[in-house]
Structure formats: C-alpha cells, structure tokens
Amino acid sequence: MNAKRIISVVGCHAEGEVGDVITGGVLPPQGKTLFEQMRDMERNHDDVRRLLMCEPRGSVARHCNLLVPPVNKDCQVGVIIMEPTEYVPSSGSNLVCTATVLLETGIIPMHEPETVVSIEAPGGPVRARARCRNGKCTSVTIENVPAFVDRLDASIEVEGLGHVTLDVAYGGMFYAIVDATKLGFRVTADEARDLAILGEKIRLAAREQLTVVHPGNPGINGVSIVQLNRPFEGVGNVTRNTCIVAPGRSDRSPTGTGTCARMAVLHARGMMNTGDWMIHESLIGSRFKGSILGETTVAGRPAILPSIEGRAWITGFHQYILDAEDPFATGYVLNDTWGVTGTLVQ
C-alpha cells in the first residue's frame, strides 16, 4: 500500500439517514466565520467530499460532517456539513449524528441523564440536548436556528405536470413544500422512485423560477430540497412526508430542517402555536418530533424557534485510504445509482 492520505470517519445514522463524522485526517479550512470556512471547503477542498461520498468509497445516500474548532466562543465545536451535491448551513439529521458521535466517543464528556452540547453550524449556533443512559445517547433534541416562511402558495411550472402550488420556507436550508396527495401520491415506500423523480423536477423548476434569498445571509439562496407530504394530521399527531435530496433520492429520515420549515408554514397558517408539537414520519417509518419553542424575527420577518428530536446510532469506525496509484482519487458518479439527475452539481 502506498497511502497518499488516510481519513478517519465514525459511521453514524439518524433515523436511517447516514451522517458520518470525520474525526481525523482533514485540516480545518480557512475563514473568519464558519460560513466562510464552509465556502473555502467547497472551493478549495472539495476533493475530501468527493473522495468520501462518490463511488467507489461512498454513495448518494451518504452525508459527511467535518469537525472543526468553533469560531463562536459560546460553542464547544464547529461542524461543516457536506451533502451529495452541496454544503448546507444546517441539517437536523446530521447534527443529531454529530452530537451522538461527540458524546459516545468521548470527544465531549457525557453526563447522565442529560448532556448539552453547543454546536456551531455554518448557518448559526445550535444547542443539542442529549438524553444519556449507560453511555448511550438515547435521543438528541436539536434547538435549531430560526425557521421562517419565504412565501405561501407560490405557483411554478413543472415539466410534465403543469402548474404546481407550493410553499417555500427556511429551516436551516430552503424547502419547497408540496402536498403530494394533490398530485396523486400516497407518500409510501413503494412510490420512492417516482417521488424522487417528481421532487427533483420540482426542485429544478423552483430554483429556476423562484428567487429565494436568506435576508440575513445572501450566501444562503435557492431551494435546496423538495418536501413531499401528506396533509397535516394535527398537533401531536403523526404526519407522513419525504424530502427529496438532490440529485434526486428520498431522505431516509423524516428530515430535521424540513420539519422545522414545515412548522414555520403551519405556524404562519395558524395551525401550530408556541408549545405545540408534531411528529414527522419518513418513508421507512422513522420519526422526528418537532416542537415550536417560541417566536422571533429574522430581518423583520416573523419566525419560529424550532426544535427536533430524534435518535442516532454509531455504525462503525473507518479509515479511508487514498492510494497514490488509485485512478479514482476523487471518485466518480454514474446516473444509474447517483440520484435522478446523476450529477454532483447543485
């Protein structure tokens, strides 16, 4: 073996969605803020993401989280979140994975029955409250960045479908939220491929036709994910949804930032209030509990303070090797397995 690089990764998933954590072999990127560091990673060090996510080492169903020193002095650790086609400001399932790995591997000391971990994500600081028992995180609640509505009942033109009505909301990234039952879907596991095709069509159309910009950070822009759901079942009840992650595949978890975005929409419509909670269920039956902790504003826009609760499990400890003679140093993708559109470009 002629190892050019060795990267240490702790495998983890949150309610079925892979959110592995990089613990060694990668230096922190440059930047005065964590958001700037995320952009530096994207511009100058994307070979790390490609090496770990693309074949032959990874897959489209994987996310990776790079631990870095925090910039915010009130936070214990920073994290840069890498998804199949983009770097995102925040992610519920990835933060649940990150908190679980930090505590269960001893990077941050675990205290039972609860440990609070302050994590700085590129989109802002979050607080993770981990319930702990016998050395295990039994659940993690992420007190997320503020979530808000960008627009309600927007109409876009989607190839093969005509006009589609959707809501756009921010929960850590921007979501286009669509009632899939109005398009003839039941949102069940056997529809996964068709839902992925539908969601990717809507995402591409929404990115082209809707100008979506975070009022506090113009670097956060455009619809990242399409949420396809059933009608809201009411406060405290279970509602099925699936979020289509670019380049076109269903999130295996109920999607944490997607749950936050949907609660912002439900709050704006008067269907949820402070103190209310809901359960989002994924195509595989896993669940997140979403709660509205309070109200706030983002650059003058009404917003909510959301939280999501879920579970994560460590799946293994890995050392990924880049052999100096390996012809696939940054991996490759083929559209038979790499999502609907089969591309690394957002």
Side-chain angles (χ1 to χ4, degrees):
M1 180 181 71
N2 181 13
K4 184 178 179 181
R5 185 165 204 170
I6 301 175
I7 299 176
S8 299
V9 176
V10 179
C12 193
H13 78 85
E15 302 295 349
E17 183 76 347
V18 177
D20 295 343
V21 180
I22 302 170
T23 57
V26 181
L27 291 174
Q30 300 297 307
K32 294 181 181 179
T33 68
L34 212 68
F35 191 85
E36 288 181 2
Q37 291 182 24
M38 179 187 76
R39 290 298 182 223
D40 181 62
M41 193 77 190
E42 182 178 36
R43 287 190 300 264
N44 300 314
H45 308 287
D46 197 48
D47 57 305
V48 173
R49 182 178 67 92
R50 292 178 60 110
L51 176 74
L52 294 175
M53 289 195 185
C54 298
E55 295 180 63
R57 299 167 191 83
S59 79
V60 74
R62 184 185 207 183
H63 306 289
C64 285
N65 302 283
L66 175 62
L67 300 179
V68 298
V71 176
N72 187 317
K73 295 180 180 179
D74 294 328
C75 293
Q76 296 162 274
V77 66
V79 63
I80 294 174
I81 305 163
M82 296 177 278
E83 299 207 341
T85 67
E86 64 176 332
Y87 294 72
V88 298
S90 189
S91 166
S93 62
N94 282 295
L95 289 168
V96 170
C97 285
T98 298
T100 299
V101 168
L102 287 168
L103 295 177
E104 292 193 9
T105 63
I107 296 173
I108 290 178
M110 178 185 291
H111 302 286
E112 299 182 11
E114 181 182 85
T115 308
V116 177
V117 182
S118 297
I119 304 173
E120 185 177 12
V126 302
R127 184 161 62 170
R129 291 186 173 274
R131 294 181 183 177
C132 306
R133 186 175 67 248
N134 298 326
K136 166 67 184 171
C137 295
T138 58
S139 71
V140 177
T141 298
I142 302 295
E143 297 176 8
N144 198 21
V145 296
F148 59 89
V149 170
D150 179 82
R151 67 195 75 189
L152 298 174
D153 295 322
S155 180
I156 62 172
E157 186 75 19
V158 179
E159 179 186 356
L161 295 173
H163 291 291
V164 172
T165 300
L166 51 81
D167 302 319
V168 178
Y170 181 82
M173 58 186 95
F174 280 108
Y175 285 79
I177 301 174
V178 179
D179 183 347
T181 65
K182 292 182 178 179
L183 300 175
F185 289 88
R186 296 170 291 120
V187 194
T188 52
D190 61 298
E191 297 175 329
R193 185 64 180 174
D194 291 334
L195 288 167
I197 294 170
L198 170 67
E200 187 67 354
K201 281 185 176 181
I202 294 173
R203 184 186 71 88
L204 292 172
R207 288 183 69 83
E208 180 182 353
Q209 298 171 40
L210 302 177
T211 300
V212 180
V213 180
H214 193 290
N217 183 348
I220 302 173
N221 55 74
V223 169
S224 286
I225 294 181
V226 172
Q227 181 181 132
L228 302 171
N229 56 44
R230 294 177 184 171
F232 182 52
E233 296 288 349
V235 171
N237 293 323
V238 178
T239 300
R240 174 66 67 90
N241 92 114
T242 188
C243 288
I244 307 305
V245 182
R249 61 99 182 166
S250 279
D251 192 324
R252 273 54 173 159
S253 81
T255 312
T257 51
T259 299
C260 296
R262 190 170 192 190
M263 289 192 297
V265 169
L266 294 169
H267 181 267
R269 295 188 184 280
M271 301 171 73
M272 288 188 75
N273 298 300
T274 297
D276 288 343
W277 57 275
M278 66 172 291
I279 301 291
H280 247 175
E281 183 180 66
S282 74
L283 288 184
I284 63 171
S286 58
R287 295 178 176 183
F288 279 153
K289 178 182 178 181
S291 303
I292 298 179
L293 305 178
E295 299 178 13
T296 186
T297 59
V298 175
R301 298 188 188 190
I304 63 167
L305 297 171
S307 74
I308 60 104
E309 180 182 2
R311 304 166 298 169
W313 294 267
I314 289 177
T315 58
F317 296 85
H318 313 279
Q319 284 191 315
Y320 288 90
I321 309 289
L322 174 58
D323 191 293
E325 298 180 3
D326 190 333
F328 303 111
T330 54
Y332 58 83
V333 300
L334 288 176
N335 63 9
D336 63 336
T337 56
W338 191 262
V340 171
T341 50
T343 177
L344 278 168
V345 179
Q346 173 69 299

